[in-house]
Amino acid sequence: MADTFQFELVSPDQLLLSEAVTAAVVPGTEGEFGVGAGHSPFLSTMRPGVVRATGANGDQHEYFVRGGFADVSQSGVTVLAEQAIPMSEINAAYLDQQIQNAEEDVADARDDIERQQAELVLSQLQEIKAAL
Amino acid sequence: MASLKDLKNRIASVKATQKITKAMQMVAAAKLRRAQEAAEASRPYAERMGTVLGNLAAGVQGRDDAPKLMAGTGKEQVHLLLVCTAERGLCGGFNSSIAKLAREHAKKLIAEGKTVQIVTIGRKGFDALKRDLGQHIVEKIELTEKKIEFGRIKQIADQILTMFEEEKFDVCTLFYSRFQSVISQVPTASQIIPATFDVEDDDKAASGATALYDYEPGEQEILETLLPRNISVQIYSAILENAASEQGARMTAMDNATRNAGEMIDKLTLSYNRQRQAQITKELIEIISGAEAL
């Protein structure tokens, strides 16, 4: 059996997951990255996407996260999400709502940088919806 | 001495008050459980955030290009006090103790010749401070929602950050009441801008790996997104703590009020009975002496 490490997923409202896992996939701003036991210390911001973790007994945990950052340290991985929802509770209607919000953000953007950021979020959300 | 009828009315009115305080106590107890859960659930996030930031900050500290949110503006002239209180009263010394702490802090700063600006979150804080510090209050925010969402707090935090970017203040301090237990809430002041980290030296030595951290996109970019978020998280957890403290304080206050009302009813009933007995005895004496005189 592969080595395990401590994986924690926290949102401002609650601690969603704290478990020993063998592997985790996190949607970093500059691309998805996988983490295994003994990964070098690493800190990354996150884009909206899906966090996947494989538990020690083979369980798959999937959470939709919106923004936040992931901290990979010697003691394990901590994902601090601004918002995190279990994948089983995600449906197309929720994503549509999020996409609509993102579209409004694009329309409301005051300058190019803001617009660019909002458009990025929008395209990522659409990607997730397409994958669902 | 009050007449029998007066006493009777008095007892009825105290009983009615007791019913109200009892009901308030029970409502507070029910709300407390939920508020306490919310406050406790928010703690891990705030703690982890602190640890990560502490690690990051250790690497950037002392550098010239450190973000302003961490290093400060280099001045300490204008202080912004963020006073978080409840929307409602009748919760013992809860609101007044936070207001008192904030007032003392403000008075001290004014005496030192600093400029003080106050933003109140919650109606009661504004009511308590408007009389003697009214001219310093720049903004009052009311949180009338039943359940406090992170999104709402983020709006407030963004507002504060905009003020900071416009250089309207140099130092920001948050006042709230930390929930320790149902009977003990501690009014607390914590400085959020420039950010303070209580990283102990031992910790730093132990996690000597901080220097080897990889950052994506870059250290600076991460700090720039993290620091503003830290502000919202701190305000959010302060407000949740406050909500739990408020219900705790109200529960204790209402419990006391109910007990006091009970004591008062006992006392009034005793004097009511005494007086009634005295009247009966008096009437008897009158009848007997009247009969004897015949």
Side-chain angles (χ1 to χ4, degrees), chain B residues 127-288:
Chain B
D127 291 345
L129 294 175
K130 72 176 170 199
R131 199 167 52 85
D132 46 353
L133 293 165
Q135 73 274 26
H136 295 287
I137 297 177
V138 287
E139 174 95 49
K140 61 170 177 147
I141 300 164
E142 291 189 9
L143 289 175
T144 41
E145 294 93 338
K146 246 189 176 157
K147 193 178 176 311
I148 303 149
E149 299 277 347
F150 184 64
R152 175 80 182 89
I153 306 302
K154 201 159 178 297
Q155 284 173 12
I156 299 173
D158 285 345
Q159 208 175 329
I160 306 237
L161 286 168
T162 319
M163 283 171 74
F164 183 71
E165 272 160 28
E166 288 165 1
E167 302 196 346
K168 287 199 177 137
F169 65 88
D170 303 314
V171 180
C172 178
T173 315
L174 186 63
F175 290 88
Y176 66 102
S177 191
R178 202 154 44 90
F179 181 81
Q180 215 158 41
S181 72
V182 179
I183 43 164
S184 144
Q185 300 87 28
V186 192
T188 314
S190 73
Q191 184 184 316
I192 54 171
I193 302 175
T196 49
F197 306 102
D198 32 32
V199 207
E200 285 163 31
D201 290 334
D202 303 351
D203 275 3
K204 260 191 246 169
S207 58
T210 40
L212 302 171
Y213 251 89
D214 270 337
Y215 298 100
E216 201 180 280
E219 201 171 1
Q220 207 71 358
E221 284 90 339
I222 288 192
L223 260 181
E224 269 156 27
T225 48
L226 226 53
L227 285 168
R229 191 164 303 149
N230 183 40
I231 305 289
S232 7
V233 169
Q234 289 216 21
I235 299 178
Y236 182 65
S237 71
I239 288 191
L240 287 180
E241 293 268 325
N242 237 7
S245 301
E246 178 196 345
Q247 299 304 343
R250 175 165 301 127
M251 206 177 109
T252 326
M254 287 303 125
D255 187 40
N256 281 338
T258 311
R259 213 170 308 133
N260 281 344
E263 271 170 29
M264 205 155 169
I265 291 171
D266 286 350
K267 252 188 231 156
L268 287 172
T269 315
L270 187 69
S271 81
Y272 173 79
N273 286 344
R274 274 214 187 114
Q275 230 180 82
R276 196 194 49 191
Q277 191 57 50
Q279 208 166 3
I280 293 170
T281 319
K282 207 177 88 197
E283 273 170 23
L284 275 177
I285 292 171
E286 273 166 11
I287 293 168
I288 294 168

Side-chain angles (χ1 to χ4, degrees), chain B residues 19-190:
Chain B
K19 262 188 201 142
I20 295 171
T21 57
K22 181 105 197 182
M24 280 185 78
Q25 187 212 334
M26 289 200 287
V27 170
K31 281 188 179 165
L32 169 71
R33 215 172 32 123
R34 235 175 307 141
Q36 196 178 345
E37 274 166 18
E40 273 161 12
S42 83
R43 275 182 196 159
Y45 191 84
E47 274 166 22
R48 303 273 146 65
M49 189 83 152
T51 333
V52 172
L53 265 177
N55 281 345
L56 260 173
V60 188
Q61 227 147 39
R63 274 179 21 196
D64 295 339
D65 55 350
K68 271 190 178 172
L69 279 173
M70 209 168 85
T73 50
K75 289 177 292 186
E76 278 198 350
Q77 187 50 39
V78 187
H79 285 250
L80 182 77
L81 311 186
L82 207 55
V83 185
C84 306
T85 50
E87 285 297 324
R88 289 143 159 272
L90 283 180
C91 42
F94 173 76
N95 289 315
S96 51
S97 61
I98 299 175
K100 196 175 134 207
L101 185 72
R103 188 180 295 124
E104 276 166 10
H105 195 83
K107 290 260 162 74
K108 204 178 83 197
L109 288 171
I110 292 168
E112 283 170 13
K114 306 265 161 77
T115 317
V116 173
Q117 291 184 330
I118 298 174
V119 172
T120 58
I121 300 179
R123 200 160 51 88
K124 286 289 159 184
F126 176 73
D127 291 345
L129 294 175
K130 72 176 170 199
R131 199 167 52 85
D132 46 353
L133 293 165
Q135 73 274 26
H136 295 287
I137 297 177
V138 287
E139 174 95 49
K140 61 170 177 147
I141 300 164
E142 291 189 9
L143 289 175
T144 41
E145 294 93 338
K146 246 189 176 157
K147 193 178 176 311
I148 303 149
E149 299 277 347
F150 184 64
R152 175 80 182 89
I153 306 302
K154 201 159 178 297
Q155 284 173 12
I156 299 173
D158 285 345
Q159 208 175 329
I160 306 237
L161 286 168
T162 319
M163 283 171 74
F164 183 71
E165 272 160 28
E166 288 165 1
E167 302 196 346
K168 287 199 177 137
F169 65 88
D170 303 314
V171 180
C172 178
T173 315
L174 186 63
F175 290 88
Y176 66 102
S177 191
R178 202 154 44 90
F179 181 81
Q180 215 158 41
S181 72
V182 179
I183 43 164
S184 144
Q185 300 87 28
V186 192
T188 314
S190 73

